[in-house]
Amino acid sequence: MPREVTLKVGVGKNLKERIVEIPDNAPRPWDGSDDLKYVGKRVPRVDGRDKTSGRAKFTFDIQLPGMLHAKFLRSKYPAAVIRKIDTSKAIKYPGVKAILSVQDKLPLIVRFAGQEILAVAAETAHQAAEALKLIEVTYDVRKFVVDKDLAKEKNAPTVFNTQVEEKLTEGDLPGEHSEVTQKGNVRGPNISPKDATPEKIDAALASSFAVVEATYRTQVQTHSAMETHGVVVDWTAEDKLKCWASTQAVFAVRDELAGSFKLPKSNVRIITKHMGGGFGAKFGVGIYGVMAAKLAREAKAPVRLMLDRKEEHLCVGNRPDSVQSLKIGADNDGKLTGIKLISYGTAGTGTGAGTSGPAKNIYEYDHFYSEESDVFTNAGPGAAFRAPGHPQGAFALEQAIDELAYKLKIDPLEFRKINTPNNEIRQAQLKIAAEKSGWARRNPNPGADKGPIKRGIGIANSVWYYFYGRNFQVSTQVNNDGTVKVTNGVQDLGTGITTVIVTIAAEELGLKPSDIQVSIGDSEYGYGPASGGSVTTGGLSPAVRDSAYAAKMKMFEIAAPMLETTADKLAAADGKIFIKENPDKSLSWKQVAKKIPGDNFIAIGERKEDYHKLDIGTIHGVQIIEVAVDTETGVVKAERVYAVHDCGRPMDLLTTESQINGGIIQGISYALFEDRILDRNTGIMVNSNMEQYKIAGALDTPEIESVVLNVHYGQSSTGAIGIGEPATVATAGAVGNAIFHATGVRVRELPMTPDKVLIALEAMKGASS
Amino acid sequence: MLTFYLNQNKIATSLHHGTVLLDFVRRESRLPGTKEGCREGDCGACTVLLGEIADEEIKYRAVNSCLLPIGSLAGKHVVTIEGLNLRENTLLQNAFVDEHASQCGFCTPGFILSLTDFLLNNPTLNFEEAILAVAGNICRCTGYESIKRAIKLLLTEVESRIELSLDKRVPELVRTGQLPEYFNTIPQKLARLEFDVEPENPGKIVAGGTDLFVQQADKLLKQPLQFIDDGQQSREIYRENDQCIVGASATMEEVRKTPVFREILPEIDTYSKLIASKPIRERATLAGNIVNASPIADFVILLLALEAKLILQIGSASRTVDLHNFYLGYKKLDLQEDEHIHNISIPIPNPGFKFNFEKVSRRTHLDIASVNTAAFFAVEENKITDARISAGGVAPIPLLLKNTNAFLQDKIIDPAIVESAMKIAAEEISPISDVRGSAEYKRRLLQQFIFAHFHTQFPELIGAEVLA
């Protein structure tokens, strides 16, 4: 029987009442009137002790008796046909137990340098590496292309001769599957809206008061998680597989392995207790997982196959690059009229170079047209990477918006307000960001600083979407000694879902976070979400709360006769169960637990459909960044960041803020440092290490002030929404805008390295003299 | 048998001496807390502490275990994360927990070790120095904001609990629970340790190994190695008449701390921050930086401007070569087979000289320069009596700008001569376009740096407006 509850919903303290229908056995959703003890506060990481003491065991650390070490032989050429592989010497090398090709039959077509050819399992990693050197591969080397502009040309070598099926993972945007044509190396264009033609947008822009048009380029970024991709596989019986995997999706890995080896799902167990980062690249089992399982079966021994840093850069995913030609216009009152985006990029042998998300979903205007294409090149495949397509799109869009604002002589922050009039959340965020950063004090004229070091301040908007998944199963077990354990299959890739689970359960049960044990990261537990697309917290947290709530109700049933009352009159807090009207009449949690029949009980919570659709389906963010530009050397330093984001109701502020701060710093790293460089003459990555593929360090990080704007929707029992993606969307665009404000020069290409900045400055000098 | 201490345990091993410590602790000792992130010394996930007795006191330093051959460990003490917390977390670890400074946690042990080194060794325990201590540690979750908060919390806690004097840090940290008690017994244990590494002579000479083990770790496992970093003599740095003599296996950090070298380069602490990370500088030697012959080797650029000479040896025969004549072409050296650097001799300049170092790289810290340059000036009443400007990243070899320097000789410093020097410098270099920037950019950058040398050293003569 559903029941109606009246909730306080809205943005920040601006709340109004909303009637929401919820199931009878569900708790009243947390809303704006609830001040909770742990939820939304700063609860330290529950796995912090294990991680700081080195006791946390990652897949990388798993050692099994008799375990073999496997390594791939990878193509040294970017394009080739392999017709012959001679392993006769390698198989005799001491310690070698199995050698298997990735493809049963030759020829094997190689499409990028680093593509897997075969794998060797040996008693030590060193033996496997040495054996690889003894394998003779006969390459029929083909012409290749790694430059996306050359790849678009008519006579370019084609990467694929057949139509490419788009493969999406849980990190990609749902519904982005595109039915488009493929010609040569170009897959597309994907035109949006579906029935649109360029004429209409061109006419709209032509009649606009002001128009800006420019081309922006973004680079390929590799995920570079600290723990590389990999698995440890153990066949515990002929038809039973146990696999430790560094993955963002234990259930997807289980399904893929079960499928590959035609095993029942119940015979495959995936374990991910601690996981060293993924950022979107670790959804499936990967060819490494399948090969490790094959080698283990062949050698009849457990096999460890972890990639090395170079393989990580080459083969298991990256953020595709882009070239975006963007034309936008506005009326003389500053209202945007339309956006036209022509975009292409390469995800190597993969797809997913679209960039139109921000252009479509941040501002309010009438006319839109976009063409997006994937260009195939002989390079490692792209993969979902923290807000796929969005940092790229926002880098272009947010600079164009800025440029248009300057052209119209409208304050860039004000311009953003004018063009998001119906988005209450964004309006609130822009206001907070302006106050925090002292935006009003900023010099309106770009390049105003005297001296070689020039400072500037830039702003950019962020956007992402609310996804949450369904049918997750969380169980709360209460033992008769009062201990509580919450269990779900979900993996924690470092973002902190373990702590979120503890926080919610403690809140609901009236216990302390330290009273709650959590078991996660195992496909034999209840179904949990894949960690991607900012789904995990919004998806799982209501099931956690509902499960804890059900457990609490059972405890109330047990306690009711003890307190001579009925269950509906009881409440739980501070380790006690008491009568709401008369809190002095109470029992300790443990006293009640003692009366649990048998040993324990388990209460299940299931993630169901939200109670209602959100009025605004997007999640937002505003970032304001201050930079210092050394105009003598071109060096840019991000000095200070003010970030305002929303994620419904935050569950644990420490993890939420860490997601925001991490998103910003990763964004700065993307804006200033990171760049996968392929040698166009050899097709080989020249910086496949951490020496020359540069990632931001502690000294490169700005001071960050982040604000989480509470937004209460009452859409689920927790009201939580994810935050991982939106935190990194705005940053590069804001840095670009800050560089412009500092110097008067636009740098339209990522990464904004000293050479590009200095050349842009020189070009301006040349133009003005 | 090679013997050393790993945490509280005595180790005796007959494994090949070229086995890197990271593999040893993870595979042989089954201590998985030390992580592997890059195997090239660029991420810090594998950081451990290396302790050794010097001047009757044990000194620890943070090093990258992925580049440290076990052959260098004889008689020393290695500390991994497992050796830091035998029972309870330390203040440092608690600060990381409380401030959410560990996210995925894969990098965390490395950060903890780097900061333990900071607590053990830094004369001043302040925030800036602490951040520098983790400059070589990469966190890809980019949790640096929380790590900074944890460091601030740690410093507050440490200030109220720990006696800060530099000597006897180990017992003090043990007393306050920041190190386990077994640390106090290590010096005696090391003294009792019988170790005689039979020098595998003739073997490939290995000192710091920070470049060798990046380039050829596999090959080094197949040949005899001769470790010279243990010879106290070859690590000595001392004054001899008007020269500072640096032994072939003296590390960058050892050189930095030596008074006689600090007399030559009082600003070495500032420059050091731009050169590698601390764990690398703790192992990397000046001689290694010289023979590696990278055209952008930071320390070589400093030494070129300081007019360093090399004393080379084969057997008992020795000869002296000017550093700037040592480089014959890209990675080509005036060094015969079996010849090696015995030591480096740096003239101690007369007081009143001016020195400046400039470097630009994508990241400010722990990155390879696009261009680097050093300048030494001796000046009498605004007249240059000696100019030695060097530059890296602008030619196949680390370059002394001979034409520019000759031009500057006996000139009175004014904006016109600086402009001329910038032009001459641009003409005598031959940069190439690569991942660190285009040839044009490097040429432009060097010119800006030449200006910066004068502007920073003679601001009253060369104002900022010259460049505009």
Side-chain angles (χ1 to χ4, degrees), chain A residues 18 116 180 216 232 319 359 393 434 482 489 538 692 707:
Chain A
R18 173 168 188 158
E116 301 79 5
V180 293
Y216 299 84
V232 175
R319 184 189 292 287
Q692 303 201 42
V707 176

Side-chain angles (χ1 to χ4, degrees), chain A residues 173 356-358 360-361 390 463-467 533-534 617-619 721:
Chain A
L173 280 171
S356 64
K360 283 175 183 163
N361 297 306
H390 283 61
V463 69
W464 192 247
Y465 319 95
Y466 174 44
F467 308 117
S534 297
T618 47
I619 38 179
I721 292 179

Side-chain angles (χ1 to χ4, degrees), chain A residues 256-314:
Chain A
E256 285 185 48
L257 279 177
S260 292
F261 293 92
K262 303 204 167 43
L263 297 170
K265 285 185 181 186
S266 56
N267 283 19
V268 181
R269 181 179 180 194
I270 312 298
I271 301 167
T272 305
K273 287 297 169 192
H274 293 286
M275 199 274 204
F279 312 107
K282 289 182 178 168
F283 282 103
V285 67
I287 193 164
Y288 52 88
V290 174
M291 289 304 290
K294 284 186 179 173
L295 287 166
R297 193 174 55 178
E298 172 92 3
K300 298 192 170 44
V303 164
R304 173 186 193 268
L305 203 173
M306 297 298 301
L307 302 191
D308 64 22
R309 184 53 54 194
K310 184 175 179 180
E311 293 175 300
E312 200 68 15
H313 279 299
L314 292 179

Side-chain angles (χ1 to χ4, degrees), chain B residues 359-373:
Chain B
K359 170 178 175 177
V360 159
S361 50
R362 187 167 286 207
R363 261 179 67 191
T364 311
H365 303 272
L366 186 56
D367 197 357
I368 302 168
S370 297
V371 174
N372 51 9
T373 170

Side-chain angles (χ1 to χ4, degrees), chain A residues 676-707:
Chain A
R676 182 202 68 181
I677 301 170
L678 298 180
D679 182 336
R680 70 164 78 182
N681 298 315
T682 60
I684 287 168
M685 181 172 174
V686 298
N687 56 344
S688 57
N689 49 37
M690 288 172 96
E691 184 188 17
Q692 303 201 42
Y693 185 93
K694 276 298 161 201
I695 293 169
L699 286 155
D700 304 305
T701 59
E703 284 177 38
I704 300 175
E705 192 178 333
S706 49
V707 176

